[in-house]
Amino acid sequence: MGTLTVNQNKLQKRLRRQAGEAVADFNMIEDGDKVMVCLSGGKDSYTLLDVLMHLQKVAPIRFEIVAVNMDQKQPGFPEEVLPAYLKTLGIEYHIVEKDTYSVVKELIPEGKTTCSLCSRLRRGTLYTFADEIGATKMALGHHRDDIVETFFLNMFFNGSLKAMPPKLRADDGRNVVIRPLAYCNEKDIQAYSDFKQFPIIPCNLCGSQENLQRQVVKEMLQDWERKTPGRTESIFRSLQNVIPSQLADRNLFDFTSLKIDETAASRFVNVVNL
């Protein structure tokens, strides 16, 4: 690409700065790490790889980057796109081939959303591959808006207050998942992807309907953001400012033993009649 415009330069610097802050705040990448960057062919994962390659050059520590894409054998999947792009970057990459498409089609009735099962099968395969190549971290392209949307999905439909943490140890204990774009918003990532002209692979090859619940939450947040700019950022900050004593989770706060502190000073003072 040629010289960046002023706005493009600001956007690139902002995404790099926000990713760097997230990596530092959560100690996502350490000296000697081997980071497996999971590429789907969408705007988020392309941006993730681009930003991490920059951080690799400027960070005071040394770490490896390995790009990995999973070919799930959806009909029409353009299998040549990612290898051609990754070759131009000159980095190590792997294409993991596993026919999870047939499994999903066999188990999910026609017309039902396949995204959940597809995601679980993909995640399990990638966890195993990360272990095989000795990756110490798995980097995913989830951004701030994904995290906030997931928070509301869990609250509305699962009755729990949880989202996507910027850093997570997987249930198997052998994988640590990181989300370096946790501080970045989707609008910036879309704009960055557009001007970088990443070779996007659409996520509709399987014919699955979009997750309707997530789409409803996304539209709700977008409407809030139009009416009150900055609200999504405020919600995200609240996830970093949890006060257990002001909620109702008995596992997080000992409400049972809560009593008056007999040593506390009285709030009342003697009133002098004037």
Side-chain angles (χ1 to χ4, degrees):
M1 294 190 63
T3 304
L4 303 184
T5 67
V6 172
N7 287 337
Q8 289 171 345
N9 188 50
K10 287 182 178 179
L11 174 61
Q12 181 168 261
K13 286 183 176 180
R14 180 163 63 249
L15 287 171
R16 289 174 173 178
R17 172 179 53 79
Q18 289 172 335
E21 288 174 353
V23 167
D25 286 351
F26 294 92
N27 194 30
M28 292 186 189
I29 301 176
E30 300 168 88
D31 193 48
D33 268 342
K34 186 172 187 176
V35 180
M36 185 175 107
V37 181
C38 300
L39 286 179
S40 65
K43 68 182 190 311
D44 304 331
S45 60
Y46 275 124
T47 300
L48 171 66
L49 178 60
D50 185 273
V51 168
L52 284 182
M53 288 181 66
H54 170 74
L55 289 179
Q56 186 185 41
K57 294 176 183 176
V58 301
I61 59 173
R62 300 185 65 182
F63 62 93
E64 298 178 55
I65 291 177
V66 181
V68 175
N69 168 256
M70 184 174 166
D71 180 354
Q72 298 177 264
K73 298 304 177 183
Q74 297 103 322
F77 180 76
E79 59 184 25
E80 73 287 348
V81 170
L82 273 166
Y85 174 74
L86 292 169
K87 284 178 183 176
T88 67
L89 301 181
I91 65 170
E92 180 184 348
Y93 73 90
H94 301 273
I95 307 297
V96 180
E97 298 186 9
K98 189 161 186 179
D99 187 5
T100 60
Y101 173 82
S102 297
V103 176
V104 170
K105 283 300 183 183
E106 181 181 343
L107 296 178
I108 303 295
E110 191 68 30
K112 296 293 184 179
T113 301
T114 62
C115 300
S116 178
L117 177 59
C118 180
S119 177
R120 288 201 302 274
L121 292 172
R122 182 172 62 248
R123 185 165 57 245
T125 301
L126 291 172
Y127 279 169
T128 300
F129 188 73
D131 199 21
E132 289 175 0
I133 65 173
T136 53
K137 304 287 171 58
M138 278 180 58
L140 304 182
H142 297 122
H143 46 70
R144 184 202 67 187
D145 299 65
D146 287 326
I147 294 171
V148 173
E149 287 166 16
T150 302
F151 170 71
F152 280 102
L153 281 168
N154 281 312
M155 183 166 60
F156 291 164
F157 301 105
N158 297 329
S160 61
L161 290 180
K162 67 176 185 178
M164 293 174 171
K167 185 178 181 181
L168 171 73
R169 184 170 62 195
D171 292 338
D172 62 11
R174 297 186 61 84
N175 298 101
V176 173
V177 174
I178 59 174
R179 298 182 169 99
L181 301 183
Y183 290 172
C184 305
N185 68 64
E186 185 173 17
K187 184 178 178 181
D188 280 352
I189 292 171
Q190 182 64 68
Y192 190 68
S193 175
D194 289 344
F195 92 72
K196 293 284 285 188
Q197 299 180 344
F198 294 133
I200 302 297
I201 298 174
C203 188
N204 59 0
L205 296 170
C206 58
S208 174
Q209 298 174 351
E210 188 171 8
N211 186 317
L212 297 181
Q213 293 176 344
R214 181 172 288 276
Q215 187 59 31
V216 168
V217 170
K218 180 185 285 290
E219 291 172 358
M220 176 192 76
L221 291 169
Q222 289 173 344
D223 184 53
W224 284 357
E225 192 67 27
R226 282 191 296 270
K227 294 177 179 176
T228 312
R231 178 171 287 188
T232 305
E233 176 62 27
S234 179
I235 294 169
F236 180 77
R237 287 201 309 272
S238 74
L239 300 179
Q240 300 173 280
N241 188 27
V242 178
I243 307 173
S245 66
Q246 304 302 302
L247 298 175
D249 190 330
R250 289 169 292 166
N251 293 318
L252 290 181
F253 189 81
D254 185 9
F255 292 99
T256 304
S257 301
L258 204 60
K259 294 180 174 64
I260 292 174
D261 182 357
E262 299 290 351
T263 65
S266 174
R267 291 187 180 183
F268 298 98
V269 295
N270 292 325
V271 178
V272 179
N273 293 323
L274 299 178

